[in-house]
């Protein structure tokens, strides 16, 4: 993304292990930004875009090779609820990629010479609903209806030209099938990352079946899991690598638990550098963190993977 001479992300994953960023909301919250809106971090695309670029830069400087954009909940339907017209919504969705690119360029100016990449976040349908259904799936929509929901946003992101589309926190194999339909014909490759519990998707499908959907999909350059407990990652990595033969991406939560009633995280963090080594040994090629994983943890991952 930042250099015409940088290897394609698929090629980089084939030859080594890359560091992914941490939770964008974590960094934005730490900087004092209110993310309680239904649009979550996507609200700042209109209100404080510079804050998003600063958060991406913090992760690049901490050691991330890949930054995930703020488009997780940036959808035409979600923006419409806020009275934002379609043309403006398309501009904001595109801006999510542009801000990450700006951060990568600034990181280069500050002396970071390694290739830096941008992954355009594509969250599940449930993220737009903002009612917790993104962790359950089974929305009552057909695969065709879900594909029709996702395709317009994918087209906008594809035109801006990120290195990869990040289909992330996908709770349901049916929605994964919809995304595989929606991405066909686009020029940008994608990774497919499920949100899981144990050895099943959040909707309850066995991971062997869920990952098998992507095994023959040329558009998918990596598969994996995110927004899950660190303890569930190693087994999922083994399944993903075995079933698909593709590089594996992993970025779990810190290990703390979200209390929806109290709107607070509880418990203790269980994310450790020792786990990271195990994930790499099991086949993970792109490793980072999700909720409650900040720049300090990404710096630790960087040191672990590139001592």
């Amino acid at each position: 993304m930042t250099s015409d001479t940088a290897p394609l992300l698929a090629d980089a994953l084939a030859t080594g292990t890359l560091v992914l960023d941490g939770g964008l909301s974590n960094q934005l919250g730490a900087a004092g930004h209110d993310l309680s809106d239904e649009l979550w971090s996507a609200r700042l695309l209109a209100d404080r875009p510079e804050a998003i670029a600063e958060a991406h830069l913090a992760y690049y400087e901490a050691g991330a090779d890949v930054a995930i954009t703020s488009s997780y909940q940036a959808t035409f339907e979600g923006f419409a609820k806020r009275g934002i017209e379609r043309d403006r919504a398309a501009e904001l969705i595109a801006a999510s990629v542009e801000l990450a690119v700006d951060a990568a360029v600034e990181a280069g100016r500050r002396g970071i010479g390694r290739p830096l990449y941008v992954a355009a976040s594509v969250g599940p349908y449930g993220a737009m609903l903002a009612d917790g259904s993104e962790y359950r799936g089974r929305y009552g929509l057909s695969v065709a209806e879900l594909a029709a929901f996702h395709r317009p946003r994918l087209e906008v992101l594809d035109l801006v030209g990120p290195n990869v589309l990040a289909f992330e926190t996908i709770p349901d194999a049916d929605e994964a099938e919809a995304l595989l339909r929606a991405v066909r014909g686009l020029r940008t490759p994608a990774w497919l990352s499920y949100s899981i519990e144990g050895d099943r998707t959040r909707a309850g499908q066995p991971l062997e079946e869920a990952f098998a959907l992507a095994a023959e999909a040329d558009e998918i350059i990596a598969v994996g899991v995110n927004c899950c407990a660190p303890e569930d990652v190693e087994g999922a990595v083994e399944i993903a690598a075995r079933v698909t033969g593709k590089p594996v991406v992993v970025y779990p939560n810190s290990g703390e638990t979200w209390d929806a009633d109290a709107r607070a995280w509880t418990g203790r963090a269980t994310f450790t550098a020792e786990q990271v080594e195990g994930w790499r040994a099991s086949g993970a090629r792109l490793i980072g963190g999700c909720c409650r994983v900040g720049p300090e943890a990404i710096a630790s991952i960087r040191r672990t993977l590139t001592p």
Side-chain angles (χ1 to χ4, degrees), residues 40-55:
W40 201 33
S41 58
R43 177 184 63 80
L44 299 180
L45 288 169
D47 297 349
R48 290 292 305 277
E50 71 282 359
I52 294 173
E54 290 166 2

Side-chain angles (χ1 to χ4, degrees), residues 161-179:
N163 298 103
V164 66
L165 300 167
F167 300 159
E168 56 175 354
T169 325
I170 306 305
D172 192 326
D174 289 348
E175 187 159 22
E177 183 179 350
L179 285 162

Side-chain angles (χ1 to χ4, degrees), residues 121-134:
S121 176
V122 178
Y125 178 83
M128 180 272 295
L129 299 177
D131 63 357
S133 60
E134 63 191 289

Side-chain angles (χ1 to χ4, degrees), residues 24-33 35 295:
L24 184 62
S25 62
N26 182 86
Q27 183 62 12
L28 291 169
H33 300 287
L35 303 179

Side-chain angles (χ1 to χ4, degrees), residues 138-164:
R138 298 303 197 214
Y139 317 113
L141 300 179
S142 68
V143 170
E145 288 170 325
L146 288 169
F149 164 78
H150 284 295
R151 178 69 184 199
R153 174 171 50 161
L154 297 186
E155 290 175 345
V156 172
L157 293 170
D158 181 55
L159 285 173
V160 189
N163 298 103
V164 66

